[in-house]
Amino acid sequence: MPAQAKGEKVFRGIGVSAGVCRGKIVVLHRARHIIAKREVPENDLAHEVERFEQSLAQTQKQISEIQNRVVQSMGAKEGDIFDAHLLMLADRVLVEEVIKLIRGQKLNAEYAFHTVAERYITVLSDVEDDYLRERAADMRDLTVRVLDNLLEVKDAFDLRHLSEPCILVGHDLSPSTTAQLDKNFVLGFATDIGGKTSHTAIMARSLGIPAVVGLESVSEELENGDYALLDGYNGIIIVNPTDQTLFEYGQLAKIKASLEEKLREIKTQPAVTLDGKNIILSANIEGPADVAAVIAHGAEGVGLFRTEFLFINRDKLPDEEEQFKVYHEVAEALKPHPVIIRTLDLGGDKFASHLQLAKEVNPFLGWRAIRFCLAQPEMFRAQIRAILRASVAGKVKMMYPMISGLDELNQANTLVEKCKAELRAEQIPFNEEMKVGAMIEIPSAALIADALAKHVKFFSIGSNDLIQYTLAADRTNEKVSHLYEPTHPAIIRLIKATVDAAHRHGIWAGVCGEIAGDPVLAPLLIGLGVDELSAAPPVVSQVKYIIRRLKQSEAQALADFALQCESSSEIFARCVELARASAPSLFESKG
Ligand code: PEP
Ligand code: MG
């Protein structure tokens, strides 16, 4: 009987590195260590401890070699990833615990080490902090290496034997394994576990290899030699794709390539509508590393620098000097374009584990952003001084997140004036004219925008929060995502009220939430009178593309309709209609 052709099967996960590839699958099976428990005779205990210490030294040497290779091939930042491994290896508390087990219970080194390491992994896996959870993966990686050395197992992940291009599939891919990937042979990879911020994902992006993680049990379901298509944009892997699927992906690739070409052509062009209305189009960043993408995608500066990312994933707060250097670097790199530095927005779903703040029942309604900063004036002062000092390096502006009322705004402004006076007294230069703005992301702020406008130089509407707070729909809870509607009439009226209040007081108003980067919704915002849009760098060119194919008068008509319409879905349908009519090519490529 002829073998039955296998049907197409789709596995869905999280796309962490963009791109599409297809090829044969190689499943990486980690060698399973058999960790036998042995009683070691009293006389041999010293030798057992020595064997353990030697395995640590050997592992350290191997990791340092990998680190050097990575630094040379990928850069210092990627090499830093192995610092965590080296720190864990040098952790005497862990080492002493193992030695105590060996000596105290007369245990063999691999059993003692495995016991202690597993305990560390369990503790790290259970913590809520994403950063610490990812350290569990580092610890697992390290454990395997030490055990390989103790048991004299050859690296089961030796990728030097790959002889033809393939897609790697594994339960997990450690950073050290990822560092060995050869782009000539590895077309892409897929793993059962992992998240967008894991080191493996970071490295896949640096290498430019399409990757999908979080596919649950893919490594057990696929076999060596299976043929698959991996889509890193949409986070899927399709095994045995049908001719139809391959054809559709082929078409998509052509459409994507031709759209990319069109977007490249307008990179240096302004974001201006067909009837001459100029929109400032800027980008959102999380740190200096994102500046290159801002420039590459043709944004006119940064409309939102989320500074909290400087404060998380580390052991202590960045001081004034450290912050100054970062802000200075960004301002200088973007000159003559502006950078709007948002003061710290910790809390909500962003926590700095080292601050060890008490858990709150409603963190999004709690001690977050400006509330937290005003309660920690010393910490806030260091940030404000750092921003003021950096203001001489370029076109620096500053804005406060989560303003709910006038008192908060006045308190923050008073602190800024105090910092300015200090710097003057210390004869430290800063830009006296640095513009300070407020984010409008709480309904109360939108409703009193007239009062707030008298005390700032601009507004930036944080629609991500404005939607969650207005519609009482947690932005991180998928169960209420159907209620999280950007085109809800209440949202449209609040944006309009904010923009009108700004203009009445002679200041400008932008939007820096995700809707600013959505080509379907950007025309509505322009129609509502928004002066600036700030979006993630990769979508800036798409927004520019639609602006350049749109008439302000059409956007205005859309906004007029939205302001008198009572239905979110009808408003959304009109937005889609205008966007598709203005820039059809943007929508052909949505796979
Ligand atoms: C927003 O709320 O829209 C915003 C831009 O800020 P964040 O997403 O950082 O809360
Ligand atoms: Mg916000």
Side-chain angles (χ1 to χ4, degrees):
M1 219 165 89
Q4 203 185 340
K6 286 188 194 170
E8 174 175 293
K9 198 160 177 200
V10 180
F11 297 84
R12 289 179 195 282
I14 307 162
V16 294
S17 184
V20 174
C21 62
R22 52 197 170 111
K24 272 196 197 154
I25 292 218
V26 168
V27 183
L28 294 169
H29 292 293
R30 245 207 205 289
R32 302 225 184 278
H33 294 112
I34 300 167
I35 320 279
K37 185 177 179 182
R38 272 189 300 114
E39 187 174 333
V40 178
E42 185 75 41
N43 283 349
D44 293 346
L45 285 177
H47 174 249
E48 201 61 15
V49 170
E50 197 187 314
R51 214 163 64 76
F52 171 55
E53 299 267 20
Q54 265 173 9
S55 73
L56 295 181
Q58 200 180 347
T59 308
Q60 193 209 31
K61 192 163 161 259
Q62 289 162 346
I63 293 177
S64 298
E65 277 168 15
I66 295 174
Q67 186 173 42
N68 286 341
R69 265 209 314 273
V70 170
V71 170
Q72 273 163 22
S73 60
M74 294 164 75
K77 197 169 131 251
E78 280 70 24
D80 286 351
I81 286 171
F82 296 96
D83 286 347
H85 292 65
L86 293 171
L87 275 174
M88 285 174 182
L89 265 180
D91 178 356
R92 281 318 290 183
V93 178
L94 183 148
V95 175
E96 292 304 331
E97 242 182 283
V98 176
I99 294 176
K100 212 167 123 196
L101 263 188
I102 297 175
R103 287 193 196 282
Q105 300 196 24
K106 300 188 178 29
L107 285 173
N108 52 320
E110 39 282 293
Y111 188 85
F113 172 68
H114 185 247
T115 308
V116 174
E118 280 301 313
R119 210 165 51 231
Y120 272 63
I121 292 168
T122 310
V123 171
L124 288 169
S125 309
D126 283 351
V127 291
E128 276 185 18
D129 185 299
D130 284 349
Y131 176 77
L132 284 178
R133 251 202 330 273
E134 277 156 21
R135 296 295 71 74
D138 291 339
M139 188 69 204
R140 218 172 270 127
D141 189 19
L142 196 67
T143 305
V144 174
R145 281 194 176 276
V146 175
L147 289 173
D148 279 351
N149 289 327
L150 275 170
L151 296 165
E152 295 176 24
V153 175
K154 259 185 64 59
D155 190 352
F157 268 11
D158 193 342
L159 298 169
R160 280 167 291 186
H161 303 309
L162 292 173
S163 54
E164 57 176 332
C166 66
I167 296 175
L168 288 183
V169 174
H171 177 64
D172 190 12
L173 211 55
S174 68
S176 51
T177 304
T178 313
Q180 297 169 32
L181 300 186
D182 178 347
K183 271 186 80 170
N184 295 317
F185 289 116
V186 181
L187 303 167
F189 69 78
T191 59
D192 295 342
I193 61 172
K196 267 207 157 98
T197 58
S198 70
H199 287 143
T200 300
I202 295 169
M203 296 179 95
R205 288 194 286 272
S206 297
L207 287 162
I209 295 178
V212 181
V213 303
L215 287 152
E216 295 184 352
S217 57
V218 76
S219 70
E220 279 165 28
E221 298 193 42
L222 300 189
E223 285 168 27
N224 275 335
D226 279 347
Y227 185 75
L229 183 147
L230 183 142
D231 173 357
Y233 294 107
N234 297 301
I236 52 181
I237 181 161
I238 306 172
V239 186
N240 300 320
T242 60
D243 288 347
Q244 180 63 23
T245 302
L246 290 174
F247 174 75
E248 282 168 15
Y249 266 93
Q251 294 300 100
L252 205 65
K254 280 190 202 145
I255 295 168
K256 268 196 177 358
S258 106
L259 174 63
E260 302 274 308
E261 181 57 39
K262 286 181 189 150
L263 297 180
R264 257 196 306 277
E265 279 165 15
I266 58 164
K267 190 184 134 179
T268 53
Q269 306 289 315
V272 57
T273 63
L274 291 171
D275 48 359
K277 164 93 180 157
N278 245 303
I279 304 296
I280 300 163
L281 190 52
S282 23
N284 298 346
I285 63 166
E286 268 92 56
D290 301 331
V291 169
V294 175
I295 296 163
H297 290 95
E300 297 167 69
V302 164
L304 166 64
F305 178 174
R306 290 182 161 103
T307 57
E308 49 281 4
F309 287 92
L310 303 176
F311 289 69
I312 52 187
N313 289 352
R314 50 182 296 154
D315 305 330
K316 61 180 184 38
L317 291 175
D319 62 12
E320 178 183 323
E321 206 50 38
E322 182 183 340
Q323 291 186 64
F324 163 69
K325 284 192 185 127
V326 173
Y327 305 149
H328 191 280
E329 181 188 342
V330 172
E332 200 161 57
L334 289 166
K335 212 164 50 176
H337 296 305
V339 50
I340 302 179
I341 303 177
R342 173 174 76 183
T343 60
L344 190 58
D345 183 9
L346 279 181
D349 58 351
K350 288 173 284 197
F351 302 100
S353 48
H354 58 281
L355 288 176
Q356 301 198 325
L357 302 174
K359 268 209 156 60
E360 294 177 291
V361 178
N362 288 312
F364 274 118
L365 300 183
W367 214 33
R368 182 187 166 190
I370 195 74
R371 303 163 178 196
F372 175 72
C373 286
L374 289 173
Q376 309 275 334
E378 273 315 298
M379 193 186 71
F380 198 19
R381 178 175 158 268
Q383 182 172 42
I384 294 170
R385 281 174 57 105
I387 297 173
L388 279 166
R389 287 171 56 199
S391 67
V392 290
K395 206 164 170 190
V396 174
K397 303 176 192 189
M398 181 174 89
M399 68 181 175
Y400 313 121
M402 228 188 147
I403 291 289
S404 66
L406 196 53
D407 280 354
E408 265 171 344
L409 181 58
N410 286 337
Q411 272 185 64
N413 279 341
T414 304
L415 196 58
V416 172
E417 288 311 315
K418 242 169 98 179
C419 290
K420 283 185 176 177
E422 281 174 18
L423 291 175
R424 270 183 223 115
E426 292 164 36
Q427 298 192 326
I428 297 176
F430 65 94
N431 176 10
E432 291 275 358
E433 304 304 318
M434 184 184 82
K435 307 254 188 305
V436 177
M439 286 191 74
I440 304 294
E441 46 185 353
I442 299 182
S444 59
L447 293 170
I448 59 155
D450 266 311
L452 300 176
K454 294 177 201 154
H455 303 273
V456 286
K457 295 286 190 271
F458 64 92
F459 285 153
S460 186
I461 299 171
S463 52
N464 302 339
D465 279 315
L466 186 63
I467 298 169
Q468 86 160 339
Y469 292 134
T470 305
L471 304 176
D474 183 338
R475 62 194 262 193
T476 65
N477 185 343
E478 72 287 352
K479 293 194 185 68
V480 291
S481 61
H482 61 292
L483 297 172
Y484 190 93
E485 290 177 306
T487 53
H488 191 294
I491 302 299
I492 287 159
R493 289 171 206 190
L494 287 173
I495 293 176
K496 173 78 171 147
T498 305
V499 173
D500 286 353
H503 292 171
R504 271 196 298 278
H505 292 274
I507 65 171
W508 60 267
V511 175
C512 62
E514 294 307 298
I515 58 173
D518 185 341
V520 169
L521 300 174
L524 174 62
L525 299 174
I526 293 168
L528 290 168
V530 166
D531 306 286
E532 180 237 25
L533 297 172
S534 192
V539 292
V540 162
S541 48
Q542 296 187 25
V543 176
K544 190 190 280 184
Y545 186 81
I546 196 157
I547 292 173
R548 292 177 58 81
R549 272 162 183 71
L550 185 76
K551 283 196 186 132
Q552 158 73 9
S553 54
E554 294 164 333
Q556 176 82 55
L558 173 66
D560 289 346
F561 168 79
L563 284 165
Q564 52 76 37
C565 182
E566 293 170 357
S567 151
S568 313
S569 52
E570 268 181 54
I571 298 171
F572 185 69
R574 282 284 187 106
C575 292
V576 172
E577 204 180 297
L578 178 59
R580 284 185 176 272
S582 310
S585 8
L586 277 185
F587 302 93
E588 286 165 10
S589 71
K590 301 272 178 234

